[in-house]
Amino acid sequence: MEVIVDPINSAVETLMSGTNTLFILLGAIMVLFMHAGFAFLEVGTVRHKNQVNALVKIITDFGISTIAYFFIGYWVAYGATFFSGAAELTQNNGYDLVKFFFLLTFAAAIPAIVSGGIAERAKFNPFLIASFFIVALVYPFFEGMIWNGNFGYQAWLEATFGAAFHDFAGSIVVHAVGGWVAFAAVYLLGSRQGRFRNNKLVAFAPSNIPFLALGAWILTVGWFGFNVMSAQTIDAISGLVAVNSLMAMVGGTLVALMVGKNDPGFIHNGPLAGLVAVCAGSDIMHPIGALLTGGIAGALFVFVFTWAQNNLKSFDDVLGVWPLHGLCGLWGGLAAGIFGTTTFGGLGGVSFLAQLVGSLTGVAIATLGGFIVYGAVKQISGLRLEPEDEFQGADLAIHKIAASSMDD
């Protein structure tokens, strides 16, 4: 009987290993495609003279992020490297390699988030250099603390508050970190030329609403890979994550519609706000809790973006990445500690105080890291385009080509 059972067990193990590898690979591809969403969201928001730059930044940032994360960042977060032979790397159908690919797409989201905040007046190469250090050091430092238990941080939270910090798909680890890193970059960069005249805000209208909407749709669809496939193995997949993501998306959309007074920019960022917020607790919330989480995030984005644009004159966050990712991500970390509890219909196993402390820790590390990295780059090479280049537009000043010819 053993002669028959052993080959069967081996075949089942091989099948499961291959299935898990395919599962997480599909997730990696879906999140990779989300970077096209980042690109088109920015293309549709910036003025025509900066559209090429928006596209180029996202894809080159991804390339820089891959090198930074492969050689340094993944080791910082998980203590693993890829310097062994290919035979060892391809064990279990190469699952560890594809897991790296999946987590890389998360890491690369950090400079993609920053890109939207610093659009239209940032130097190109200095920000690529900054992206390298953010993805190599700042992001994986906190990632490892939360998702790998580095420095005993999670163990300390559990011993102190009765539960570890819960961030299933990265409301804090990815989005809040990206948003607060962007906060530092935007602050150090300053406002675009002509943003305020006679002490009054000059609105720079989005250049292409269809492109903006396309970017939002690509991000929204890809987010189901971002959230659901954070399970990382097929046996851990949960329909609850999918439906909670859906409900948060809808909540963010409808509330942004109401409080944003039919503004298409707010409406298409509404689902993104909801999805940012639900990442942390998408595996433990009740769908109604997810709906409320998304709705609050949609309102938070609209109100804070509007307030910041009108009152923070030196803080020119073009796409609103700080309220969208930084603040809605922070809300998501806290929401997991509210709507994830059994009191509100969740699965439990979370502590609000652990969520509060963990979320604020992420904000502090991201903000400090952002100011260190972008502050150093500012001192060495500067962050802003020259006034004449900014007036001309980043497309011609940096890439020597416009998004469309004059004949069109």
Side-chain angles (χ1 to χ4, degrees):
M1 182 63 70
E2 288 186 21
V3 176
I4 299 175
V5 171
D6 287 346
I8 292 175
N9 287 339
S10 178
V12 171
E13 290 175 1
T14 300
L15 178 62
M16 285 303 300
S17 176
T19 301
N20 285 332
T21 301
L22 178 61
F23 173 74
I24 198 170
L25 173 61
L26 293 174
I29 293 170
M30 289 182 71
V31 184
L32 172 62
F33 192 53
M34 288 177 71
H35 288 261
F38 283 119
F40 278 100
L41 190 69
E42 184 172 338
V43 167
T45 303
V46 299
R47 289 168 289 179
H48 287 97
K49 62 183 180 180
N50 296 296
Q51 289 181 326
V52 172
N53 183 244
L55 293 169
V56 173
K57 279 190 300 178
I58 299 299
I59 196 165
T60 51
D61 267 331
F62 192 89
I64 291 292
S65 297
T66 300
I67 298 302
Y69 200 63
F70 184 86
F71 287 103
I72 303 174
Y74 196 73
W75 170 75
V76 171
Y78 300 102
T81 64
F82 301 99
F83 300 117
S84 54
E88 184 176 339
L89 293 176
T90 53
Q91 292 180 0
N92 298 319
N93 298 93
Y95 178 83
D96 289 340
L97 287 173
V98 178
K99 179 181 177 181
F100 155 77
F101 181 15
F102 181 67
L103 292 172
L104 161 67
T105 59
F106 284 49
I110 305 301
I113 290 169
V114 175
S115 175
I118 55 92
E120 298 202 314
R121 77 277 199 202
K123 287 185 175 180
F124 185 60
N125 290 330
F127 271 91
L128 290 182
I129 293 170
S131 295
F132 179 90
F133 287 103
I134 292 293
V135 176
L137 299 173
V138 177
Y139 168 76
F141 179 80
F142 184 66
E143 176 191 18
M145 288 173 60
I146 303 305
W147 286 344
N148 198 47
N150 293 355
F151 312 115
Y153 182 73
Q154 288 282 41
W156 173 77
L157 287 176
E158 187 169 6
T160 305
F161 302 111
F165 178 67
H166 188 91
D167 191 1
F168 178 70
S171 285
I172 300 296
V173 174
V174 179
H175 297 288
V177 166
W180 286 92
V181 166
F183 177 89
V186 171
Y187 179 85
L188 291 170
L189 195 59
S191 297
R192 289 168 288 177
Q193 291 180 356
R195 190 66 175 141
F196 285 89
R197 295 175 187 169
N198 299 322
N199 210 33
K200 293 183 179 180
L201 174 69
V202 176
F204 294 158
S207 61
N208 193 309
I209 295 298
F211 275 164
L212 186 157
L214 175 63
W217 269 108
I218 292 173
L219 285 166
T220 298
V221 173
W223 224 296
F224 287 86
F226 194 100
N227 282 3
V228 175
M229 291 173 178
S230 285
Q232 298 190 17
T233 56
I234 197 75
D235 60 305
I237 192 171
S238 171
L240 182 64
V241 177
V243 171
N244 280 344
S245 300
L246 173 68
M247 296 301 282
M249 177 198 83
V250 169
T253 304
L254 296 181
V255 172
L257 166 68
M258 290 185 288
V259 300
K261 300 177 181 179
N262 299 328
D263 183 288
F266 288 142
I267 293 169
H268 285 95
N269 276 282
L272 308 184
L275 286 162
V276 165
V278 83
C279 286
S282 58
D283 62 326
I284 56 173
M285 291 181 180
H286 187 280
I288 296 176
L291 180 67
L292 293 172
T293 296
I296 292 170
L300 181 64
F301 171 73
V302 173
F303 289 135
V304 175
F305 180 83
T306 303
W307 174 82
Q309 291 291 305
N310 286 285
N311 294 280
L312 302 181
K313 296 181 180 179
S314 63
F315 188 80
D316 187 6
D317 183 357
V318 179
L319 267 68
V321 298
W322 172 59
L324 181 66
H325 297 274
L327 295 182
C328 291
L330 177 59
W331 158 239
L334 302 179
I338 300 172
F339 296 111
T341 62
T342 55
T343 302
F344 288 92
L347 298 180
V350 289
S351 161
F352 178 77
L353 289 177
Q355 294 303 115
L356 175 63
V357 173
S359 297
L360 293 178
T361 300
V363 168
I365 290 173
T367 307
L368 178 62
F371 273 108
I372 291 173
V373 172
Y374 290 106
V377 171
K378 183 176 183 178
Q379 291 299 315
I380 295 170
S381 63
L383 295 176
R384 284 195 74 129
L385 290 171
E386 296 299 325
E388 183 177 342
D389 289 339
E390 183 180 341
F391 178 79
Q392 182 183 31
D395 292 358
L396 294 177
I398 298 173
H399 310 290
K400 313 304 180 187
I401 191 169
S404 57
S405 71
M406 298 297 293
D407 295 331
D408 291 343

